[in-house]
Amino acid sequence: MSRAPAPDPALAVVLKRLREDRGLTQEALAFKSGVSISSLGRIETGHTSAAWTTVRQLAAALDVSMGELGSIVDAER
C-alpha cells in the first residue's frame, strides 16, 4: 500500500501569496476554483498535499499557468 505524498511547504506558501497578491480571500478563491474552503485552508497551511487536479484548478483560478506556478514554487524552495 502506498502512502499519500507529503504536503509541499513551498506550494503552500506560493498559493497563499498568489491569493493574497490578487486580493482574494480563501472563500473567494475556493468559489472561483471549485475547491472547498477547508481543503484550500489545509493546503495553504501545509497540512495536506494537493492532488494534481486541485493544483490545476487553483492555478487556473489564480490566472497562472502550471508552468509558471511550478517555476514560482521551485524558486521558493
Side-chain angles (χ1 to χ4, degrees):
M1 184 188 320
S2 64
R3 293 184 181 175
D8 185 340
L11 177 63
V13 168
V14 168
L15 288 173
K16 183 175 182 180
R17 184 177 0 160
L18 289 172
R19 176 181 60 76
E20 290 175 342
D21 288 350
R22 284 155 177 74
L24 296 170
T25 62
Q26 281 187 341
E27 292 82 5
L29 179 57
F31 179 78
K32 189 174 179 182
S33 66
V35 174
S36 73
I37 296 168
S38 60
S39 291
L40 178 57
R42 288 191 307 271
I43 293 165
E44 282 190 355
T45 57
H47 287 104
T48 191
S49 60
W52 175 257
T53 54
T54 301
V55 175
R56 285 185 22 215
Q57 289 171 268
L58 291 169
L62 291 166
D63 296 319
V64 295
S65 70
M66 289 295 288
E68 184 180 3
L69 180 61
S71 293
I72 298 167
V73 170
D74 283 345
E76 180 64 33
R77 288 190 182 114

